Amino acid sequence: MVVNRRAFLAAGTAAAAGALAPSDAFGGRLFFAWPDQKPVPKPIPPAALDPKGRRTIYRLSLRGRRGSRFAKRYNANMRFATKAMADKHRAFPGDRSRIVPLTVNINEYHRLFVSRHSQVADLRTLRNIKVVGVRG
């Protein structure tokens, strides 16, 4: 039996693929992610609740910076549950707004995020919405 470089590489590749393929022994799980697979996002932990029943939310701010009127209006009306959501939902791709924390009571937090099952709130559309069933 003659083993040349091409046969050696083919046999090595087949052995490596067999060793890395998912099997029932491990529940069909892969120990690595293929390049075309998207990583599974981690669940966002709930915001820390302080003893007085306040929550920290975030907004964008152009205070002390130059920015368009559109960005100023957008920033005045948008609220975000996390910093990541605030960074992801800027007014436009070149927006230089800072992410600023706000402290709100638990009722306002429920009105903006929990009752709507959303991480982003636009105050222009939520002016007259009341939350039913929240203590306070």
Side-chain angles (χ1 to χ4, degrees):
M1 177 171 152
V2 177
V3 178
N4 57 15
R5 183 172 49 133
R6 184 175 294 167
F8 178 75
L9 288 175
T13 303
L20 294 177
S23 66
D24 290 334
F26 298 107
R29 292 177 289 167
L30 292 174
F31 291 111
F32 62 97
W34 293 99
D36 59 343
Q37 289 180 337
K38 294 180 182 176
V40 178
K42 294 179 182 178
I44 299 171
L49 180 64
D50 77 349
K52 294 185 179 180
R54 295 178 296 201
R55 294 279 180 122
T56 300
I57 64 173
Y58 299 91
R59 68 180 294 249
L60 298 170
S61 173
L62 274 171
R63 184 174 177 167
R65 298 174 179 216
R66 292 184 180 187
S68 66
R69 283 182 289 164
F70 172 76
K72 289 177 186 178
R73 287 186 194 129
Y74 181 86
N75 293 349
N77 290 296
M78 298 302 288
R79 300 293 183 265
F80 307 98
T82 63
K83 285 183 180 180
M85 281 293 138
D87 193 34
K88 186 177 178 183
H89 292 90
R90 292 187 178 268
F92 47 85
D95 187 12
R96 297 177 297 134
S97 301
R98 288 178 291 160
I99 299 172
V100 180
L102 293 174
T103 304
V104 296
N105 65 14
I106 194 73
N107 290 340
E108 182 70 5
Y109 184 82
H110 277 273
R111 183 179 79 90
L112 294 175
F113 305 113
V114 177
S115 66
R116 297 177 45 250
H117 305 290
S118 177
Q119 297 283 314
V120 179
D122 187 353
L123 299 179
R124 293 170 284 200
T125 61
L126 297 173
R127 293 285 181 212
N128 297 320
I129 294 178
K130 302 278 184 192
V131 177
V132 178
V134 177
R135 295 179 192 168

